[in-house]
Amino acid sequence: MALFPAFADVSEASGDGASRKELDWLSNPSFRVGNLTSLSRQTEEVTALASEGSPPPRYLFNRSPLKSEPPGESATSEKLTQISRKKKKEKKKKRKHQHPKKSKRRREQSSSSGSESDTEAGKDRASRSIRDGQKEAEKPCQGSNAAAAAAGQRSIWLEDIHDLTDVFRTDNKPDPANWEYKSLYRGDIARYKRKGDSCLGINPKKQCISWEGASATKKHSHRHLERYFTKKNVGLMRMEGIAVCSNPEPPSSEPVTFIPVKDSAEAATPVTSWLNPLGIYDQSTTQWLHGQGPAEQDSKQPDSQQDRECAALKARVEEFNRRVRENPRDTQLWMAFVDFQDEVMRSPGIYALGEGEQEKHRKSLKLLLEKKLAVLERAIESNPGSVELKLAKLQLCSEFWEPSALAKEWQKLLFLHPNNTSLWQRYLSFCQSQFGTFSVSKLHSLYGKCLSTLSAVKDGSMLSHPVLPGTEEAMFGLFLQQCHFLRQAGHSEKVISLFQAMVDFTFFKPDSVKELPTKVQVEFFEPFWDSGEPRVGEKGARGWRAWMHQQERGGWVLVTPDEDDEEPEEEDQEIKDKTLPRWQIWLAAERSRDQRHWRPWRPDKTKKQTEEDCEDPERQVLFDDIGQSLIRLSSPGLQFQLIEAFLQFLGVPSGFLPPASCLYLAMDESSIFENELYDEKPLTYFNPSFSGISCVGYMEQLGCPRWTKGHNREGEEFVRNVFHLVLPLFSGKQKSQLCLSWLRYEIAKVIWCLHTKKKRLKSQGKNCKKLAKNLLKEPENRNNFCLWKQYAHLEWLLGNTEDARKVFDTALSMAGSSELKDRELCELSLLYAELEMELSPDLRGATTGRAVHILTRLTESSPYGAYTGQVSSTQILKARKAYEHALQDCLGQGCASSPAPAEALDCLGSLVRCFMLFQYLTVGIDAAVQIYGQVFSKLKGSALLEGPGSEDSTSSQSLTSVLEAVTMMHTSLLRFHMNVCVYPLAPLRETLSDALKLYPGNQVLWRAYVQIQNKSHSANKTRRFFDTVTRSAKHLEPWLFAIEAEKLRKRLVESVQRVGGREVHATIPETGLTHRIRALFENAIRSDKGNQCPLLWRMYLNFLVSLGNKERSKGVFYKALQSCPWAKVLYMDAMEYFPDELQEILDVMTEKELRVRLPLEELELLLED
C-alpha cells in the first residue's frame, strides 16, 4: 500500500529498478487503510467521552494487522469493553432522569430537517461512531490476518479502485435504532432540498404522499411588487421631487470624452505658518488649530431642497398668522388660510414630530380636517356673524359628524339667519340627500317653510332680520328647485298645480289684495283654488281677478257646453303582452301612466263627478300642498321667466335654463350627448336646448333619443290653452319670444315625424303651417322677422323649397332700407343664405350665387329683390366695404363705452356672422377665420373685464354671449367646410379648445369637440385637455363629456374587436379604458355638483351594468340612493337592471313616498283579467 495513495500508480508503474529505488520511500508496507479508519473512530469516541466529563478509556489500536496480538493485550481489550458497557448503562439512566423540557428539545432537534448546521451533524456523527465502536469492542478480537484484511476492506479509496463495480457495498447488519425512531438516522441520509409535495414515480391523480414534520426548506417570503396605485406608492408620488441645479457653465459644443476634474492648482493654496509649516492643512483645519471657528457665512451648510421648501412654508404660515391677527374681520383671509392647510399637509412635514412621522401626518385626513376646523373656530370667534365661515364649518363637519348632529347645527344656524337665501339653499340640498331621514312629504313641507319664511322677510313682517340683496331672485330659484324635485319624484300633478297657482297669483291678482302681505294674499287665494273654477291650461280659465269680480257681483252663470265638442280619447291598453316578465309589464305600464296622468285630476261638474270618483287620490292636489310655496314676484323679468319655466316643464323649447344653483339637480336625461342633427346640418341644425332636463311625463330609459313628440290630445290642448291665456299678458319682445317658442315647439314635432313617424308628417305639417299663418296674421306680428324666419324654415324642412324662398323674399322685401342695423333682419338673411349653402355642397354652384346675392343685398339701401343671376364683382366689393365699416362702428361702440349700448350689442353678433359667411363665400375659409380672430381678440379682453352678470332673458346680449355666438358660428363654418372640402383638423381643434376654456358650460361646443377628437387615434391630448378644464372649471359638463369621450373610444375599440356582433377577441389591448372611465365617474361624483346629479348616477349605473358586474352595480345603485333618494328614474333603472329586486325597490319607493302609479297588487289584478 502506498504511503501517499495519490502516487500509488506512479510507484507501481515504474519499470526500471533505478527509478523504483528512488521511489521506495513512498511505499509503506506496514500501512493499511483499515487501521486509519479505526484509529479515527476511536479518537472520536475519546473526544466524546471527554466532553461528557468521564475519564477517557484506553483503546488498543491495531496498528499492524499483519502481526497477531499478544494475549495480554487481548485481555486488556476485554476489560475495556466491560468498562464501556457500564459507562453506557449509566449514561442511559442519566438520560431518563433529565428534565422533560430537555428531552423534548432534543426530540425536536432529532426530528428537524436536514438543513441544520454542519456542526450539529458532526456531533451526531461522533456519538454514532462511538456507539458503533462500542458494538465492535463487544466482539472478541481476533488477531488473524483475514479479520484485519476484512477490516481494511471496509473503507476503500476511490483512487485505488480501477473497477468501479466494487465501490458500492451492501450493509446487511441491522440497526436497532430504526425500530425506536420513525425514520433513518439523519446522519446516514444525504442532505437535500425538497421542492413540492410530490414524489417521482407515483400517479398524481390517484396517489399522494403526506409529509410529516417540518419542511425541508425554509419558507421564503416572496415580496410582491407593488403597483403605482397602492397606498405606499401614492404617497411617494405625492412627494415633490428634488430640484436639479443647472450647470452654471455653458455646455461646450465639442463632444466630451471624459468628465473634467478641476485642477488642484485652481484651489486656494494655504498659507504657511508656525502651525502649518508645510502648508498641507486646509483653511478649516488651520482655523481650528488657532482656536477659531469658521465665519458665519461659512458655518451654514447649504440647505437641501426640502429644507428650503419647509422654511418657505413656515414663513407663509407665520405671514398668515400675522395677517389674521392684524385683520381678524377679514373672512376671505380666513377662508384662504383654511384652504392653505391643504398645501401645508401636502408639503414636506413642517408639523412632523420626528423621523418617520412626516408620511403619517401627510396621509392623515382626520388631522387635516381637525386643523381646518380649529382655524374655522378661531375665525368664527372673531366673526360671529359671518355666515360664510359657519357654512364652511358645517361642510367640513359633514365628514365626521353624525347626520342628526349635523341637522341640529343646521337648524341652529337657520334660526340665527333666516333671511339668508344661500343658507336655505344649502340646507335644502343637505336634507334632500339624507337617505335615512328623507321623505317626499317632509322635504316638500320644508320647501314651503323656507319660501314662506323668506316671503315674510321680504314683506317686512319679520322685523328682526332685514332683506338681503337678491332675495327675490333666490326665492324664485328655490321655487324652481322645488318644482324639479317634485317632478323627479314622480309628483308631476303637484308641479303643474304649483305653476297654475303661481300664474294666477302673479298675473291675475285682484287689485284689492295687491298691497297686503303675502301671507294674507295666500289666505284670500285659497277660496278661489277650492271653488272649482277652471285654472291655467284648462278650458274656460279666466283667472283669479275675474272670479273675484264675479263673486262680488253674485257669481258665475254656468253654461253647459256642447257634449259633441269633446270626444273622450280612447285610452291605450296598458298591458299589451301578458307573456312578458312582470318587471317589463310594470315598467311599461308605469311609464304609460306617467305620460297620460301628469295633469292634476279635477271633477267635471258637467258630468256630475265628485272627488270620490277619482281612482287615484294622489292625482288630486289640495291647497295645503301648494299654499306655503306661493311667493310674490314683482320684477317683470322674473314674471316672464316664470312663464318660460312653466313652458319648459311642459316640453316647449322656450330657451329657459334653471339657475346655476339647481341646474345639475334637475339634469336627469342624456339628450345633451345627441348630435345627429348637428352632424347632418352644422349651419342650420335645430337645437331645442333642453340641456339634459326632461319634461313632465317623461321617464324613459337612459339612452333613448329625446324627440319633442308632444303629449296626447288632452295634453296638447292644455299647452294651447296656456299659450292663449299668457300671450295677452305680454307685449313687444316678450310676446314675440312666446310666439317663437310656440312655433318652435310645433316645428320640433315636425322634425320628430320626419325622423320617426312619417305617416303623421302631413297632418303635423299642416297644423304647424296653420299656426304660423295665424300668428303672422296678428297686427303686431306682421313685421316680426323671427316668426317669418321660422315659417320659412318650416317650409324648407317639409321639402317645399320654392315656397320657402317666396316666404324669405317676401319677408326681406318688407324690411325696407334698414341695412345692417337690424338684428332680426340679419338673422333672417343669415338663415336664408345658410339654407342655400347646405342645399348644394358645391361652392361654385347656383345655390352659392343665391347665398352671395342674399348677403350682398343686405348691405344695400335699396329694397330687396329676388335672385336673377350672379352678383357682379363691384357689388361684392361694395358689400365688403359696407360690412367692414359696420363692423368697425359696432366694435368701437361696444368696446369703447362702458356699459356698451344695447343696440350695438344686439347687432354685433349677427353682423359678424353675416360678414364671416360673406367672406367665406367670396374669398375663402381663411378670410372668415381672419374676421373671427379680429373680433375675438377685440372682445375677449372686454368680456373678461365685464365678468358674469345676472341679466334676465329680456335684456340685451352681453359681450360674453356675443363672443360665444360668434365662436359657435366659427366652429360650424369650419365643420361645414370640412364636410365639403379637404381641410386640416387642427384649426377646428384649437378653436374649440380655446372656446371651451372660456365657456365650459356650452354643451354644443363640447359635443363638437368630443366628436372630432373621437376621430383621432391618440387620446393623450384630449385627456390632458379634459384634465385641465375639470381642474379649473366649476361646471359639471367637462366631467360628463370626458366620460362620454372615453365611452365612445371604448365603443370604437370593441367594434374593432367584436366579430359578427357576438364575442370579443382581444386582438387590440383595451389600454385600461374601463378603469379610466370608472375613475372619471368616481372623481366626478366627489365634486359638490356631481354628487347630487341624477344624470351622472344614471350614467355610472348604466356603465357598470354594461360590464356585467352585477354586484358592484348594486353597490353603486345603493350609493346613488344615498345622494339622490328623490330621483324616481334611478329606481326605474334599477328595476330594469335587477329584475329580481322588483319588490324590494318598490318597498323603498313607497317608504320614501315616491310616486308609484301602479302598485303590484293592481298589477296582479290586471294580469288576472
Side-chain angles (χ1 to χ4, degrees), residues 153-338:
Q153 292 177 358
R154 192 168 299 169
S155 298
I156 302 174
W157 291 90
L158 184 61
E159 289 81 359
D160 297 341
I161 303 301
H162 301 283
D163 189 6
L164 295 179
T165 56
D166 297 334
V167 174
F168 302 98
R169 62 185 176 85
T170 303
D171 187 8
N172 296 325
K173 183 180 65 175
D175 188 1
N178 294 336
W179 300 343
E180 184 177 356
Y181 303 103
K182 294 182 179 180
S183 63
L184 297 176
Y185 171 57
R186 62 185 178 186
D188 295 340
I189 302 175
R191 285 181 295 174
Y192 64 94
K193 294 182 180 180
R194 185 176 71 243
K195 293 184 178 180
D197 294 334
S198 181
C199 181
L200 293 176
I202 65 173
N203 187 356
K205 296 183 179 179
K206 299 181 180 180
Q207 298 173 329
C208 65
I209 294 178
S210 177
W211 301 95
E212 297 182 0
S215 175
T217 59
K218 293 183 179 180
K219 295 182 179 179
H220 298 283
S221 60
H222 296 284
R223 185 177 179 183
H224 297 282
L225 296 177
E226 296 181 345
R227 297 293 300 277
Y228 65 93
F229 51 77
T230 56
K231 185 177 181 181
K232 179 179 179 181
N233 291 332
V234 166
L236 293 177
M237 292 171 65
R238 290 177 180 172
M239 294 180 63
E240 297 183 3
I242 301 175
V244 180
C245 298
S246 59
N247 189 7
E249 300 179 358
S252 176
S253 58
E254 300 178 358
V256 181
T257 58
F258 63 94
I259 300 176
V261 181
K262 292 184 179 181
D263 191 0
S264 59
E266 298 177 4
T269 57
V271 181
T272 58
S273 63
W274 66 277
L275 285 175
N276 189 13
L278 301 178
I280 60 175
Y281 299 146
D282 58 358
Q283 183 180 3
S284 60
T285 307
T286 306
Q287 289 177 351
W288 181 81
L289 291 174
H290 279 282
Q292 299 175 358
E296 185 178 357
Q297 59 270 18
D298 299 336
S299 62
K300 295 182 179 179
Q301 299 293 332
D303 297 334
S304 62
Q305 179 73 12
Q306 181 175 351
D307 295 338
R308 288 195 296 269
E309 291 179 358
C310 188
L313 200 62
K314 287 182 179 179
R316 291 188 62 189
V317 172
E318 293 174 359
E319 177 67 18
F320 266 114
N321 285 323
R322 183 186 61 79
R323 292 175 61 189
V324 297
R325 191 165 52 247
E326 296 174 354
N327 303 311
R329 300 291 182 181
D330 191 352
T331 58
Q332 297 299 325
L333 181 60
W334 282 107
M335 294 300 297
F337 194 21
V338 172

Side-chain angles (χ1 to χ4, degrees), residues 32 141 242 258-259 275 308 344 347 371 558 664 671 727 890-891 898 958 974 988 1009 1032 1050:
R32 292 292 182 269
C141 296
I242 301 175
F258 63 94
I259 300 176
L275 285 175
R308 288 195 296 269
V344 172
S347 64
K371 287 188 66 61
L558 296 178
Y664 300 111
S671 64
L727 276 175
C890 289
L891 287 177
S898 178
S958 63
L974 286 176
L988 178 58
Y1009 181 79
S1032 58
K1050 184 175 183 295

Side-chain angles (χ1 to χ4, degrees), residues 1060-1081:
R1062 296 181 181 178
E1063 57 178 324
V1064 174
H1065 299 275
T1067 55
I1068 301 178
E1070 190 188 17
T1071 63
L1073 285 174
T1074 300
H1075 303 291
R1076 179 179 293 274
I1077 295 172
R1078 188 181 291 117
L1080 284 173
F1081 273 118

